[in-house]
Amino acid sequence: MRIKPLGDRVVIKRLEAEETTKSGIVLPGSAKEKPQEAEVVAVGPGGLVEGKEVKMEVKVGDKVLFSKYSGTEVKIDGEEYTILRQSDILAVVE
Amino acid sequence: MRIKPLGDRVVIKRLEAEETTKSGIVLPGSAKEKPQEAEVVAVGPGGLVEGKEVKMEVKVGDKVLFSKYSGTEVKIDGEEYTILRQSDILAVVE
Amino acid sequence: MRIKPLGDRVVIKRLEAEETTKSGIVLPGSAKEKPQEAEVVAVGPGGLVEGKEVKMEVKVGDKVLFSKYSGTEVKIDGEEYTILRQSDILAVVE
Amino acid sequence: MRIKPLGDRVVIKRLEAEETTKSGIVLPGSAKEKPQEAEVVAVGPGGLVEGKEVKMEVKVGDKVLFSKYSGTEVKIDGEEYTILRQSDILAVVE
Amino acid sequence: MRIKPLGDRVVIKRLEAEETTKSGIVLPGSAKEKPQEAEVVAVGPGGLVEGKEVKMEVKVGDKVLFSKYSGTEVKIDGEEYTILRQSDILAVVE
Amino acid sequence: MRIKPLGDRVVIKRLEAEETTKSGIVLPGSAKEKPQEAEVVAVGPGGLVEGKEVKMEVKVGDKVLFSKYSGTEVKIDGEEYTILRQSDILAVVE
Amino acid sequence: MRIKPLGDRVVIKRLEAEETTKSGIVLPGSAKEKPQEAEVVAVGPGGLVEGKEVKMEVKVGDKVLFSKYSGTEVKIDGEEYTILRQSDILAVVE
């Protein structure tokens, strides 16, 4: 099964805490409203979103930081993903 | 009886939990604000909606994910449907 | 007496529950925020509404679904009508 | 004394309940948020209002329906008037 | 000392109740949210205000009606004035 | 140390009460939401601010009135300043 | 690891209180909603942000003042940073 986000939406897969630590980001489990690291797994086409032109800046495979409570969680094929708007992504990490 | 949504509205039919499981999406019954899977049964013409150009991206037959409390429920010919704006649809699943 | 709505407003006459049942839509009396079926009896000219171009999509005689608490109720010549904006109409039914 | 409303504002004189009944509109005294019938006594020039072009659709002498709590009441030469924006007028009645 | 309002702001001097009565407007002292009569003493240049073109419609010496709680009160050279946006002025009276 | 405000922001230095009295403006100490007099010490470049063209109307040295609780207070080199948007300045006094 | 902010976002590193004192800004530890001094460590590309053209005015190495509770804190490689929109930066200090 494939998932194709609409408009400026992006599907991301949250990285595990262990993996997060490897990349150097420490996120205390009890932190609230803190950004989290995730990997982009699907990107919407962008274009006109609510009458405004949106160009997609992230691509599949990017590691991104996002606000913990952004977007909507969804479980596909037994795995959890988050669908959010690109504007809820704070930064790409390399 | 046929239903023709106005503007950027879309009529969807929620997929049953059983059917949902087959497609690989697990949605716990008590989940709140979680997206749900549905099938598109009618699509508005798009065009100028509140002064903004909207292009319809979904088509009849598409399986879509949407936020549980989006839109308005309506019963037509004994079956329940949801009418919502295309912007409340998160993604198309294939 | 005639009523001419301004801008993108539409005057509708709510269809009785009996009539509603005939057309196949079942609306439980206690339902809240549920759409209702109505017939369009007057349509505003559209055009520039709050600085945005609005094209009227409904016409007199259309059967429409609308959210129960949209618009304002008014009694004219002993009959009750609702005046609402076209954007509060969800769909046309045929 | 004359009153010249600014922008898209309109000065209306509420019609008495008796007069209202004659014109066929019944407005129960205890009704809340219900429209009322009034006569237009002065109309602003329209034009650019908050950056948006507004064309005045009503003229002096028009009978109009408006939401009861729209606008601001003002007493001029011993008579009560209401000053409201044209967009708060629901319809013209004939 | 002179005061030059910025953008679409206007400085007005509230007319005394006595003076108000002469001009035919009766404003009960305990009235809330009622318009009041005032005289314009300074007018901003208009132009681009928050990205929107505003043309000033009032001029120094105009008698205007405004909502009682609009704007900000300021005391200059021992006299009280109100600074408000032109869009908070309801009408000019003559 | 110099401070260069961004966009349409302005840095002002609040005038002391004594100085205020000399210029003719009386501001009771307990007044809330009242404008205050200040001197402009730095002005941002204006230009595109949140997508809207802003032209700076105030300049360094101007005496201005502003709403007491506008902006953010900051202490630089031991002196207190306020940084606020030009649109929070009510008027220039001369 | 490098961090590339999206759109009009900026990554800043808060300056220590000691360092802050040297530059002449005194920020009491208990101050609320007060601006703070920080150094810019990464700047987004600007461009179209929510349909509006944004030009980046700050650059890496700039010392900036920002509101204490703006943005989102993130820990990268053991150091704390804040990611915020350029419009939440009040001024550049030199």
Side-chain angles (χ1 to χ4, degrees):
Chain A
M1 186 175 126
R2 270 181 52 208
I3 180 163
K4 298 195 306 184
L6 287 191
D8 61 346
R9 287 199 178 80
V10 175
V11 184
I12 58 179
K13 176 139 191 57
R14 206 171 291 205
L15 298 182
E16 294 303 320
E18 291 75 31
E19 191 169 351
T20 304
T21 305
K22 269 188 294 184
S23 74
I25 294 189
V26 180
L27 290 166
S30 65
K32 299 231 153 139
E33 309 287 359
K34 296 275 169 168
Q36 296 189 320
E37 201 175 8
E39 184 172 340
V40 174
V41 298
V43 178
L48 269 192
V49 177
E50 288 168 20
K52 296 169 183 162
E53 185 67 30
V54 177
K55 197 183 139 220
M56 302 311 287
E57 313 280 354
V58 298
K59 57 182 190 303
V60 173
D62 277 356
K63 298 278 175 59
V64 296
L65 297 176
F66 68 103
S67 281
K68 190 174 184 177
Y69 296 106
S70 297
T72 311
E73 297 184 6
V74 40
K75 215 171 199 172
I76 306 175
D77 293 340
E79 297 215 40
E80 279 189 2
Y81 297 93
T82 299
I83 304 180
L84 76 178
R85 294 179 176 276
Q86 181 178 260
S87 58
D88 289 326
I89 296 180
L90 303 173
V92 175
V93 292
E94 292 180 342
Chain B
M1 186 175 126
R2 271 180 52 208
I3 180 163
K4 298 196 305 184
L6 288 191
D8 61 345
R9 286 199 179 81
V10 174
V11 184
I12 58 178
K13 177 142 191 54
R14 207 170 288 206
L15 297 182
E16 295 302 320
E18 292 74 31
E19 192 170 350
T20 304
T21 305
K22 267 190 294 184
S23 75
I25 294 189
V26 180
L27 290 166
S30 66
K32 298 232 153 137
E33 309 288 358
K34 296 276 170 167
Q36 295 189 319
E37 200 174 9
E39 185 172 339
V40 174
V41 298
V43 179
L48 268 192
V49 177
E50 289 168 18
K52 295 170 184 163
E53 186 67 30
V54 177
K55 198 183 137 217
M56 302 311 287
E57 312 281 353
V58 298
K59 57 181 191 303
V60 173
D62 277 356
K63 298 278 176 57
V64 296
L65 297 177
F66 67 104
S67 280
K68 191 174 183 177
Y69 296 105
S70 297
T72 311
E73 297 184 6
V74 41
K75 215 171 199 174
I76 306 173
D77 294 341
E79 297 215 40
E80 280 189 0
Y81 297 93
T82 299
I83 303 180
L84 76 179
R85 294 179 177 276
Q86 180 178 260
S87 58
D88 290 325
I89 296 180
L90 302 173
V92 175
V93 292
E94 293 181 343
Chain C
M1 186 175 126
R2 270 181 52 207
I3 180 163
K4 297 196 305 184
L6 287 191
D8 61 345
R9 287 199 178 83
V10 174
V11 184
I12 59 178
K13 177 143 191 53
R14 208 171 287 207
L15 297 183
E16 295 302 320
E18 292 75 31
E19 191 171 349
T20 304
T21 304
K22 269 190 293 183
S23 74
I25 295 188
V26 180
L27 290 166
S30 65
K32 298 233 153 134
E33 308 288 359
K34 296 276 169 165
Q36 295 188 319
E37 201 174 10
E39 185 172 339
V40 174
V41 298
V43 179
L48 269 192
V49 177
E50 289 168 17
K52 295 169 184 163
E53 185 67 30
V54 177
K55 199 183 138 218
M56 302 310 287
E57 312 280 354
V58 297
K59 56 182 191 303
V60 173
D62 276 357
K63 298 278 177 55
V64 296
L65 296 176
F66 67 105
S67 280
K68 191 175 184 176
Y69 295 106
S70 297
T72 311
E73 297 185 6
V74 41
K75 214 172 200 173
I76 305 174
D77 295 340
E79 297 216 40
E80 279 189 0
Y81 297 93
T82 299
I83 303 180
L84 76 179
R85 293 179 178 276
Q86 180 178 261
S87 57
D88 289 325
I89 296 181
L90 303 172
V92 175
V93 292
E94 293 181 342
Chain D
M1 186 175 127
R2 270 181 52 207
I3 181 163
K4 298 195 306 183
L6 287 190
D8 61 345
R9 287 199 178 82
V10 175
V11 184
I12 59 178
K13 176 141 192 56
R14 207 171 287 206
L15 297 182
E16 295 301 319
E18 292 75 30
E19 192 169 350
T20 305
T21 304
K22 270 190 293 183
S23 74
I25 295 188
V26 181
L27 291 165
S30 64
K32 299 233 153 135
E33 308 288 358
K34 296 276 168 162
Q36 294 188 320
E37 200 175 9
E39 185 172 337
V40 175
V41 298
V43 179
L48 268 192
V49 177
E50 289 168 17
K52 296 169 184 164
E53 185 67 30
V54 177
K55 198 182 138 219
M56 302 310 287
E57 312 280 353
V58 298
K59 57 181 190 305
V60 173
D62 276 356
K63 298 279 177 53
V64 296
L65 296 176
F66 67 104
S67 280
K68 190 176 185 175
Y69 295 106
S70 297
T72 311
E73 297 186 6
V74 41
K75 214 171 200 173
I76 306 175
D77 294 340
E79 297 215 40
E80 279 188 0
Y81 297 93
T82 299
I83 303 180
L84 76 179
R85 294 179 177 276
Q86 180 178 261
S87 58
D88 290 326
I89 297 181
L90 302 172
V92 175
V93 292
E94 293 181 341
Chain E
M1 186 175 125
R2 270 180 53 207
I3 180 163
K4 298 194 307 183
L6 287 191
D8 61 345
R9 287 199 178 81
V10 175
V11 184
I12 59 178
K13 175 140 192 57
R14 208 172 288 207
L15 297 182
E16 295 302 319
E18 292 74 31
E19 192 170 351
T20 305
T21 305
K22 270 190 292 183
S23 74
I25 294 190
V26 180
L27 289 167
S30 64
K32 298 233 154 134
E33 308 287 1
K34 297 274 167 165
Q36 295 188 320
E37 200 176 8
E39 185 173 337
V40 174
V41 297
V43 178
L48 268 193
V49 177
E50 290 169 17
K52 295 169 184 164
E53 184 67 30
V54 177
K55 197 183 139 219
M56 302 310 286
E57 312 280 353
V58 299
K59 57 181 189 305
V60 173
D62 277 356
K63 299 278 176 54
V64 296
L65 297 176
F66 68 104
S67 280
K68 191 175 184 175
Y69 295 107
S70 297
T72 311
E73 297 185 5
V74 41
K75 215 171 199 173
I76 306 175
D77 294 340
E79 297 215 41
E80 278 189 2
Y81 297 93
T82 299
I83 303 180
L84 74 181
R85 295 179 176 276
Q86 180 178 260
S87 58
D88 290 325
I89 296 181
L90 303 172
V92 175
V93 292
E94 293 181 342
Chain F
M1 185 175 127
R2 270 181 54 209
I3 180 162
K4 298 194 308 183
L6 287 191
D8 61 345
R9 286 199 178 81
V10 175
V11 184
I12 59 178
K13 175 140 191 57
R14 208 172 290 206
L15 297 182
E16 295 302 319
E18 292 74 33
E19 191 170 351
T20 304
T21 305
K22 269 189 293 183
S23 74
I25 295 191
V26 181
L27 289 166
S30 65
K32 298 233 153 134
E33 309 287 358
K34 297 276 168 165
Q36 294 189 322
E37 201 176 8
E39 185 173 338
V40 174
V41 298
V43 179
L48 268 192
V49 177
E50 289 169 18
K52 295 169 185 165
E53 184 67 30
V54 176
K55 195 182 140 219
M56 301 311 286
E57 313 280 354
V58 298
K59 57 181 188 304
V60 173
D62 277 356
K63 298 279 177 54
V64 297
L65 297 176
F66 68 103
S67 281
K68 192 175 182 175
Y69 295 107
S70 297
T72 311
E73 298 184 6
V74 42
K75 214 171 199 172
I76 306 174
D77 294 341
E79 297 215 41
E80 279 189 2
Y81 297 93
T82 300
I83 304 180
L84 76 180
R85 294 179 176 275
Q86 180 178 261
S87 58
D88 289 326
I89 296 181
L90 302 172
V92 175
V93 292
E94 293 181 342
Chain G
M1 187 174 125
R2 268 181 53 208
I3 180 163
K4 298 195 307 184
L6 287 191
D8 61 346
R9 286 199 179 82
V10 175
V11 184
I12 59 178
K13 175 140 191 56
R14 207 171 289 205
L15 297 182
E16 294 303 319
E18 292 75 29
E19 190 170 351
T20 304
T21 304
K22 269 189 293 182
S23 73
I25 294 190
V26 180
L27 290 166
S30 64
K32 299 232 153 136
E33 308 288 358
K34 298 275 168 167
Q36 295 188 320
E37 200 175 8
E39 184 173 339
V40 174
V41 298
V43 179
L48 269 192
V49 177
E50 288 168 19
K52 296 169 183 162
E53 185 67 30
V54 177
K55 197 182 139 219
M56 301 311 286
E57 312 281 353
V58 298
K59 58 182 188 304
V60 173
D62 277 356
K63 298 278 176 57
V64 297
L65 297 176
F66 68 103
S67 281
K68 191 175 184 176
Y69 295 106
S70 297
T72 311
E73 298 183 7
V74 41
K75 214 171 199 172
I76 306 174
D77 293 341
E79 297 216 41
E80 278 189 2
Y81 297 94
T82 300
I83 303 181
L84 76 180
R85 294 180 176 275
Q86 180 177 261
S87 58
D88 289 326
I89 296 181
L90 303 172
V92 175
V93 292
E94 293 180 344

